[in-house]
Amino acid sequence: MNFPLYIAKRYLFSKSKNNAINIITGIASMGIIVGTLALFVVLSVFSGLRDFSLSFTNSIDPDLKLNPRHGKTFFISPKQEKQITRIGGVASYSKVVEERVLFFFDGKEQVTYLKGVDVNFTKTNVVSKNLFNGKWLQPKTDEVVLGYGISQKLSLGLFDYNNSFEVYVPRKGKAVIESEAEAFNKSELIPVGIYAISEDLDSKYVFADLTLAQELLEYKSNQVSGIEVKMKPNANEAEVIEKLNTLFQNKVDVKTRAELNATLYKMLNTENIAVYLIFTLVIIIALFNLIGALIMMVLDKRSNLKTLYNLGSEVKDLKKIFLLQGSLLTIIGGIIGLILGIIVVVIQQRFQLVMITDSLSYPVVFSIQNVLIVFGTIVTLGFISSWIASSRVSKKLLD
């Protein structure tokens, strides 16, 4: 058996004659367990909050979106449409037209986005599954679906035939404007559905048929402002992006969902890193107890170390004893802390003991990635602490 490992295990599992060392070692062990438990639970909570925050954007953003590199629109040919469907990782795609316009209802007005969508939109986007009231719009009609926030601001309900829901879109051209008809393209819309996702998104879009939006914006039938793509499960994202860029001769920007919400992703990642660093600092402080316990153990076992040294043991082997002792203590404490943390997370997931509101439980996510991060952190810091303490063993100490 490895000599330093054998001695390290003996020191680890046997009590010292000095009660103070036993107490400090116990405190160090509890610090490691509690620190590991706290770090894992907090990372699991932030993973849950991250998924909860992103669930709103995932309800309205596609896997990939093609936007023009220059200007507001680009053209797509029937040949390109067929080639998109032949790309292996593409499950479906949808042509969209998007522009800020003026909506008017019963003396109230609202400037927001009109988004024209084709019949494939519900296959690439799940917003139709977030309807608060009503139904999804029918193609080739004047029906629209609007956000709950817009509905509230305009005091607009569904199928209100007494008041007209109107859209005004500025017309193109530089001629002198002499009337409202010359200044705006106008259409009466029929609200048939209201979606509800989040406060910001509920005030952003009015969904209409693609053809209607193109007519209002004076676009051609093959002129769009974007193409939204849904990828197949386990599809190679980079490969799909490369093929789309080649298809459109690099005239479009292909953005992922993360790139479409770069600010939100950056904020969530920054918060996650900040919390990780804060709790890592707490663990570092707790590991000072481990360093102290090991140094006291070195001093307490000084006579034993002298005996081993006189019998032929090298100083490096004697150092390794306490390095391994501290590392084993850290590993065991880390495993116990992780087990307790996993139990806490699973209980919260299944029984929802901690609630944000009466109907919404605090979101947590069990992730193998978090397990590896926490275990890697605690083992690394424990090894460094043990190395610092074991460096106290020197030839001078043994003389």
Side-chain angles (χ1 to χ4, degrees), residues 21-205:
I21 295 177
N22 294 328
I23 293 173
I24 294 175
T25 303
I27 293 173
S29 302
M30 286 302 300
I32 293 170
I33 293 171
V34 173
T36 304
L37 165 67
L39 180 58
F40 179 75
V41 170
V42 169
L43 288 182
S44 298
V45 168
F46 267 80
S47 295
L49 290 173
R50 175 190 174 89
D51 289 353
F52 180 72
S53 300
L54 294 179
S55 66
F56 299 121
T57 58
N58 293 346
S59 298
I60 208 163
D61 288 328
D63 294 330
L64 297 175
K65 187 171 183 179
L66 284 66
N67 294 315
R69 287 196 171 181
H70 305 287
K72 290 185 176 182
T73 63
F74 63 97
F75 293 90
I76 178 171
S77 65
K79 182 180 178 181
Q80 288 173 321
E81 291 193 47
K82 290 181 180 179
Q83 289 176 328
I84 292 177
T85 59
R86 293 173 185 170
I87 297 176
V90 173
S92 61
Y93 75 96
S94 173
K95 297 179 291 183
V96 299
V97 168
E98 191 173 326
E99 186 60 81
R100 285 177 65 90
V101 298
L102 173 65
F103 293 95
F104 186 86
F105 178 79
D106 193 24
K108 298 178 181 179
E109 58 187 41
Q110 174 76 23
V111 176
T112 192
Y113 284 95
L114 172 69
K115 186 167 184 175
V117 298
D118 63 13
V119 292
N120 293 325
F121 184 72
T122 54
K123 298 177 183 178
T124 62
N125 200 299
V126 297
V127 67
S128 59
K129 298 179 182 179
N130 291 276
L131 293 182
F132 172 76
N133 197 4
K135 61 177 184 177
W136 189 252
L137 62 94
Q138 294 295 320
K140 308 298 181 182
T141 66
D142 293 334
E143 295 179 350
V144 295
V145 173
L146 60 152
Y148 182 75
I150 300 172
S151 171
Q152 291 289 95
K153 291 176 182 177
L154 296 179
S155 301
L156 184 153
L158 302 181
F159 307 105
D160 186 347
Y161 298 105
N162 296 321
N163 298 289
S164 298
F165 181 46
E166 299 173 329
V167 57
Y168 291 85
V169 181
R171 298 189 66 179
K172 296 180 180 179
K174 299 180 180 179
V176 178
I177 299 173
E178 296 182 353
S179 65
E180 179 187 292
E182 293 179 353
F184 296 97
N185 289 325
K186 173 186 172 184
S187 180
E188 292 188 5
L189 307 175
I190 304 172
V192 295
I194 298 174
Y195 72 87
I197 300 174
S198 68
E199 184 176 351
D200 292 336
L201 296 175
D202 291 350
S203 300
K204 187 173 183 180
Y205 288 117

Side-chain angles (χ1 to χ4, degrees), residues 24-25 71 89 119 143 170 183 187 198 232 240 261 317 324 381 391 394:
I24 294 175
T25 303
V119 292
E143 295 179 350
S187 180
S198 68
K232 295 178 181 178
V240 173
N261 300 280
D317 291 329
L324 290 172
L381 294 176
S391 64
S394 63

Side-chain angles (χ1 to χ4, degrees), residues 293-322:
L294 290 175
I295 290 175
M296 290 186 67
M297 182 71 73
V298 169
L299 298 175
D300 184 57
K301 302 296 184 181
R302 184 177 178 182
S303 59
N304 293 346
L305 296 177
K306 282 185 178 182
T307 302
L308 293 172
Y309 180 69
N310 292 329
L311 289 173
S313 297
E314 297 183 10
V315 174
K316 65 177 183 179
D317 291 329
L318 300 179
K319 287 183 177 181
K320 192 180 292 186
I321 291 173
F322 297 97

